Amino acid sequence: MDKRFTDIIELIKQSRSNAIRKVNEELIDLYWNIGGYISKKVELSEWGQSVVKELAQFIQTNEPDLKGFSDKNLWRMKQFYETYKEFPKVSTLLREISWSHNLAIFSRCKSIEEQEFYMKLTKHENYSFRELDRQISSSLFERTMIGNSKLSTVLRDTNTNVVNTFKDSYVFDFLNLPETFNESDLQKGLIEQMKNFILELGRDFLFISEEYKVQVGNSDFYIDLLFYHRGLQCLVAFELKADKFKPEHLGQLNFYLEALDRDVKRQNENPSIGVLLCKDKDSEVVEYALSRSLSPTMVSEYKTQLPDKKILQQKLHELFNNRL
């Protein structure tokens, strides 16, 4: 890069980071204020859970471009406010990390000391959501307290770019922008090609979304590809795994299907279907995940109209061989 212009590049990057931080701060302020409003209404017995659901439906109906205001997320805002309203010392920290980071911390950490620890860690280390989740799962707080030790300098060597830290789906929803993050460019490319292939298989498949978000409790999960099948009148979730088949992959997919049937499926639609696609260096595995409530006749009907496993296996083989 021409050294004469590096200062300009740095100015651009700094301004971009500042803009992202400011948007995130506004989003957290908004969620805090909404949470406080709902909390006070509930405390005064003016609102119950049904009213919050009505509010979510009202927002969706009247302002369909506004995203991130499902009844589950509205209740999360209430929990967020109630968790920290008595602890003003963390007020600034809350606004310096993303909503997804905040969700992970206040839903998984038991004490204000532990919550503050992970807030500071996320801020100072520019942790991505996945890295924060990994550190909480590894009990870093407990290990640090027991050892009475300072954080290893190794952690500081794994910093991510600040832009990636705030690449939160809630920020993109808030600005009404398309999400641009994926686990990896390879995964993104494979998912895109598989989406196109499924659409080519027949007109019955209607594409809904990539990385479709489902909410369970205080956690968000993302389905690789979600379609609607007109013939079967049901949602069809596709999960692509770039590794060897494991039984827990099917368990995860069934977990997604339960969330879809509970929160997304309409009353006139049939139970959702899952299609698991696994590819490692030696084999391609395709498995269907079907609801246990289905009758043998319905199971047979589903399998008749779903893509043949052998065709999907062959496509997986082609996709991966073309990428390697």
Side-chain angles (χ1 to χ4, degrees), residues 138-161:
S138 69
S139 302
L140 179 63
F141 172 73
E142 289 85 350
R143 291 187 287 110
T144 302
M145 294 302 102
I146 292 172
N148 194 26
S149 61
K150 295 181 180 180
L151 292 177
S152 167
T153 55
V154 174
L155 290 175
R156 293 177 174 81
D157 293 335
T158 61
N159 282 0
T160 56
N161 185 281

mmCIF file of all heavy atoms in Angstrom, residues 138-161:
data_model
loop_
_atom_site.group_PDB
_atom_site.id
_atom_site.type_symbol
_atom_site.label_atom_id
_atom_site.label_comp_id
_atom_site.label_asym_id
_atom_site.label_seq_id
_atom_site.Cartn_x
_atom_site.Cartn_y
_atom_site.Cartn_z
ATOM 1 N N SER A 138 -15.961 -22.306 29.200
ATOM 2 C CA SER A 138 -14.746 -22.856 29.807
ATOM 3 C C SER A 138 -14.526 -22.365 31.240
ATOM 4 O O SER A 138 -13.490 -22.627 31.839
ATOM 5 C CB SER A 138 -13.523 -22.493 28.952
ATOM 6 O OG SER A 138 -13.254 -21.105 29.027
ATOM 7 N N SER A 139 -15.528 -21.612 31.771
ATOM 8 C CA SER A 139 -15.472 -21.111 33.159
ATOM 9 C C SER A 139 -14.244 -20.252 33.416
ATOM 10 O O SER A 139 -13.574 -20.388 34.444
ATOM 11 C CB SER A 139 -15.508 -22.289 34.153
ATOM 12 O OG SER A 139 -16.670 -23.069 33.972
ATOM 13 N N LEU A 140 -13.940 -19.361 32.491
ATOM 14 C CA LEU A 140 -12.764 -18.506 32.646
ATOM 15 C C LEU A 140 -12.844 -17.666 33.917
ATOM 16 O O LEU A 140 -11.838 -17.486 34.607
ATOM 17 C CB LEU A 140 -12.620 -17.590 31.429
ATOM 18 C CG LEU A 140 -11.440 -16.609 31.471
ATOM 19 C CD1 LEU A 140 -10.111 -17.355 31.510
ATOM 20 C CD2 LEU A 140 -11.484 -15.665 30.270
ATOM 21 N N PHE A 141 -14.010 -17.161 34.252
ATOM 22 C CA PHE A 141 -14.171 -16.336 35.451
ATOM 23 C C PHE A 141 -13.787 -17.126 36.701
ATOM 24 O O PHE A 141 -13.000 -16.655 37.532
ATOM 25 C CB PHE A 141 -15.619 -15.850 35.563
ATOM 26 C CG PHE A 141 -15.932 -15.151 36.862
ATOM 27 C CD1 PHE A 141 -15.442 -13.868 37.118
ATOM 28 C CD2 PHE A 141 -16.708 -15.769 37.833
ATOM 29 C CE1 PHE A 141 -15.723 -13.224 38.315
ATOM 30 C CE2 PHE A 141 -17.001 -15.127 39.030
ATOM 31 C CZ PHE A 141 -16.504 -13.859 39.275
ATOM 32 N N GLU A 142 -14.351 -18.327 36.836
ATOM 33 C CA GLU A 142 -14.055 -19.140 38.020
ATOM 34 C C GLU A 142 -12.571 -19.483 38.089
ATOM 35 O O GLU A 142 -11.952 -19.406 39.156
ATOM 36 C CB GLU A 142 -14.883 -20.431 38.002
ATOM 37 C CG GLU A 142 -16.364 -20.234 38.256
ATOM 38 C CD GLU A 142 -17.137 -19.869 37.003
ATOM 39 O OE1 GLU A 142 -16.497 -19.578 35.959
ATOM 40 O OE2 GLU A 142 -18.379 -19.862 37.059
ATOM 41 N N ARG A 143 -11.988 -19.848 36.951
ATOM 42 C CA ARG A 143 -10.569 -20.211 36.935
ATOM 43 C C ARG A 143 -9.686 -19.025 37.281
ATOM 44 O O ARG A 143 -8.675 -19.160 37.965
ATOM 45 C CB ARG A 143 -10.188 -20.790 35.569
ATOM 46 C CG ARG A 143 -10.802 -22.153 35.307
ATOM 47 C CD ARG A 143 -10.301 -22.808 34.033
ATOM 48 N NE ARG A 143 -10.827 -22.195 32.832
ATOM 49 C CZ ARG A 143 -10.124 -21.471 31.973
ATOM 50 N NH1 ARG A 143 -8.840 -21.264 32.197
ATOM 51 N NH2 ARG A 143 -10.687 -20.961 30.890
ATOM 52 N N THR A 144 -10.083 -17.845 36.804
ATOM 53 C CA THR A 144 -9.302 -16.649 37.090
ATOM 54 C C THR A 144 -9.400 -16.283 38.564
ATOM 55 O O THR A 144 -8.405 -15.921 39.202
ATOM 56 C CB THR A 144 -9.798 -15.466 36.236
ATOM 57 O OG1 THR A 144 -9.701 -15.816 34.854
ATOM 58 C CG2 THR A 144 -8.955 -14.219 36.496
ATOM 59 N N MET A 145 -10.614 -16.407 39.131
ATOM 60 C CA MET A 145 -10.799 -16.072 40.547
ATOM 61 C C MET A 145 -10.071 -17.060 41.454
ATOM 62 O O MET A 145 -9.431 -16.681 42.428
ATOM 63 C CB MET A 145 -12.290 -16.066 40.891
ATOM 64 C CG MET A 145 -13.116 -14.983 40.223
ATOM 65 S SD MET A 145 -12.551 -13.288 40.581
ATOM 66 C CE MET A 145 -11.680 -12.894 39.049
ATOM 67 N N ILE A 146 -10.179 -18.350 41.122
ATOM 68 C CA ILE A 146 -9.528 -19.377 41.943
ATOM 69 C C ILE A 146 -8.016 -19.220 41.903
ATOM 70 O O ILE A 146 -7.324 -19.309 42.922
ATOM 71 C CB ILE A 146 -9.926 -20.791 41.465
ATOM 72 C CG1 ILE A 146 -11.409 -21.033 41.753
ATOM 73 C CG2 ILE A 146 -9.066 -21.851 42.136
ATOM 74 C CD1 ILE A 146 -11.952 -22.319 41.161
ATOM 75 N N GLY A 147 -7.510 -18.960 40.721
ATOM 76 C CA GLY A 147 -6.058 -18.811 40.577
ATOM 77 C C GLY A 147 -5.560 -17.443 40.979
ATOM 78 O O GLY A 147 -4.351 -17.217 41.062
ATOM 79 N N ASN A 148 -6.500 -16.510 41.208
ATOM 80 C CA ASN A 148 -6.142 -15.143 41.559
ATOM 81 C C ASN A 148 -5.102 -14.594 40.586
ATOM 82 O O ASN A 148 -4.133 -13.940 40.963
ATOM 83 C CB ASN A 148 -5.609 -15.070 42.991
ATOM 84 C CG ASN A 148 -5.556 -13.627 43.505
ATOM 85 O OD1 ASN A 148 -6.308 -12.781 43.031
ATOM 86 N ND2 ASN A 148 -4.671 -13.367 44.448
ATOM 87 N N SER A 149 -5.325 -14.895 39.314
ATOM 88 C CA SER A 149 -4.328 -14.545 38.305
ATOM 89 C C SER A 149 -4.858 -13.523 37.332
ATOM 90 O O SER A 149 -6.066 -13.365 37.158
ATOM 91 C CB SER A 149 -3.906 -15.807 37.539
ATOM 92 O OG SER A 149 -5.026 -16.375 36.891
ATOM 93 N N LYS A 150 -3.942 -12.843 36.687
ATOM 94 C CA LYS A 150 -4.316 -11.895 35.650
ATOM 95 C C LYS A 150 -4.550 -12.640 34.343
ATOM 96 O O LYS A 150 -4.085 -13.749 34.154
ATOM 97 C CB LYS A 150 -3.197 -10.852 35.467
ATOM 98 C CG LYS A 150 -2.992 -9.968 36.686
ATOM 99 C CD LYS A 150 -1.893 -8.946 36.420
ATOM 100 C CE LYS A 150 -1.687 -8.053 37.640
ATOM 101 N NZ LYS A 150 -0.615 -7.055 37.410
ATOM 102 N N LEU A 151 -5.276 -12.019 33.448
ATOM 103 C CA LEU A 151 -5.526 -12.646 32.158
ATOM 104 C C LEU A 151 -4.226 -12.835 31.392
ATOM 105 O O LEU A 151 -3.368 -11.962 31.377
ATOM 106 C CB LEU A 151 -6.483 -11.788 31.325
ATOM 107 C CG LEU A 151 -7.912 -11.707 31.847
ATOM 108 C CD1 LEU A 151 -8.717 -10.762 30.971
ATOM 109 C CD2 LEU A 151 -8.556 -13.070 31.882
ATOM 110 N N SER A 152 -4.133 -13.986 30.774
ATOM 111 C CA SER A 152 -2.939 -14.290 29.999
ATOM 112 C C SER A 152 -2.797 -13.340 28.818
ATOM 113 O O SER A 152 -3.768 -12.936 28.197
ATOM 114 C CB SER A 152 -3.008 -15.733 29.491
ATOM 115 O OG SER A 152 -2.031 -15.966 28.519
ATOM 116 N N THR A 153 -1.549 -12.994 28.514
ATOM 117 C CA THR A 153 -1.313 -12.141 27.344
ATOM 118 C C THR A 153 -1.683 -12.865 26.058
ATOM 119 O O THR A 153 -1.868 -12.232 25.028
ATOM 120 C CB THR A 153 0.180 -11.738 27.276
ATOM 121 O OG1 THR A 153 0.982 -12.923 27.300
ATOM 122 C CG2 THR A 153 0.544 -10.849 28.443
ATOM 123 N N VAL A 154 -1.805 -14.204 26.132
ATOM 124 C CA VAL A 154 -2.210 -14.960 24.947
ATOM 125 C C VAL A 154 -3.582 -14.497 24.478
ATOM 126 O O VAL A 154 -3.865 -14.427 23.286
ATOM 127 C CB VAL A 154 -2.233 -16.473 25.256
ATOM 128 C CG1 VAL A 154 -2.796 -17.249 24.063
ATOM 129 C CG2 VAL A 154 -0.835 -16.962 25.600
ATOM 130 N N LEU A 155 -4.473 -14.163 25.428
ATOM 131 C CA LEU A 155 -5.806 -13.691 25.059
ATOM 132 C C LEU A 155 -5.724 -12.451 24.190
ATOM 133 O O LEU A 155 -6.484 -12.272 23.258
ATOM 134 C CB LEU A 155 -6.622 -13.387 26.317
ATOM 135 C CG LEU A 155 -7.058 -14.586 27.160
ATOM 136 C CD1 LEU A 155 -7.755 -14.098 28.425
ATOM 137 C CD2 LEU A 155 -7.970 -15.497 26.376
ATOM 138 N N ARG A 156 -4.797 -11.583 24.519
ATOM 139 C CA ARG A 156 -4.684 -10.337 23.779
ATOM 140 C C ARG A 156 -4.128 -10.546 22.376
ATOM 141 O O ARG A 156 -4.248 -9.690 21.523
ATOM 142 C CB ARG A 156 -3.826 -9.346 24.561
ATOM 143 C CG ARG A 156 -4.515 -8.894 25.850
ATOM 144 C CD ARG A 156 -3.646 -7.952 26.673
ATOM 145 N NE ARG A 156 -4.382 -7.452 27.800
ATOM 146 C CZ ARG A 156 -4.561 -8.114 28.931
ATOM 147 N NH1 ARG A 156 -4.044 -9.310 29.063
ATOM 148 N NH2 ARG A 156 -5.266 -7.593 29.923
ATOM 149 N N ASP A 157 -3.551 -11.692 22.170
ATOM 150 C CA ASP A 157 -3.037 -12.001 20.835
ATOM 151 C C ASP A 157 -4.134 -12.510 19.907
ATOM 152 O O ASP A 157 -3.925 -12.657 18.720
ATOM 153 C CB ASP A 157 -1.923 -13.057 20.919
ATOM 154 C CG ASP A 157 -0.688 -12.515 21.633
ATOM 155 O OD1 ASP A 157 -0.512 -11.287 21.629
ATOM 156 O OD2 ASP A 157 0.062 -13.331 22.190
ATOM 157 N N THR A 158 -5.318 -12.795 20.474
ATOM 158 C CA THR A 158 -6.390 -13.357 19.657
ATOM 159 C C THR A 158 -7.485 -12.334 19.385
ATOM 160 O O THR A 158 -8.597 -12.692 19.043
ATOM 161 C CB THR A 158 -7.009 -14.573 20.366
ATOM 162 O OG1 THR A 158 -7.566 -14.141 21.628
ATOM 163 C CG2 THR A 158 -5.987 -15.650 20.615
ATOM 164 N N ASN A 159 -7.173 -11.062 19.566
ATOM 165 C CA ASN A 159 -8.175 -10.018 19.328
ATOM 166 C C ASN A 159 -8.756 -10.087 17.927
ATOM 167 O O ASN A 159 -8.058 -10.352 16.964
ATOM 168 C CB ASN A 159 -7.534 -8.620 19.491
ATOM 169 C CG ASN A 159 -7.370 -8.270 20.950
ATOM 170 O OD1 ASN A 159 -7.731 -9.043 21.825
ATOM 171 N ND2 ASN A 159 -6.836 -7.091 21.219
ATOM 172 N N THR A 160 -10.045 -9.812 17.836
ATOM 173 C CA THR A 160 -10.678 -9.679 16.540
ATOM 174 C C THR A 160 -10.850 -8.212 16.230
ATOM 175 O O THR A 160 -10.790 -7.367 17.114
ATOM 176 C CB THR A 160 -12.050 -10.365 16.539
ATOM 177 O OG1 THR A 160 -12.827 -9.808 17.600
ATOM 178 C CG2 THR A 160 -11.931 -11.861 16.735
ATOM 179 N N ASN A 161 -11.092 -7.912 14.978
ATOM 180 C CA ASN A 161 -11.324 -6.532 14.583
ATOM 181 C C ASN A 161 -12.581 -6.007 15.247
ATOM 182 O O ASN A 161 -13.570 -6.717 15.390
ATOM 183 C CB ASN A 161 -11.471 -6.477 13.060
ATOM 184 C CG ASN A 161 -11.598 -5.062 12.557
ATOM 185 O OD1 ASN A 161 -12.670 -4.468 12.640
ATOM 186 N ND2 ASN A 161 -10.513 -4.527 12.035
#
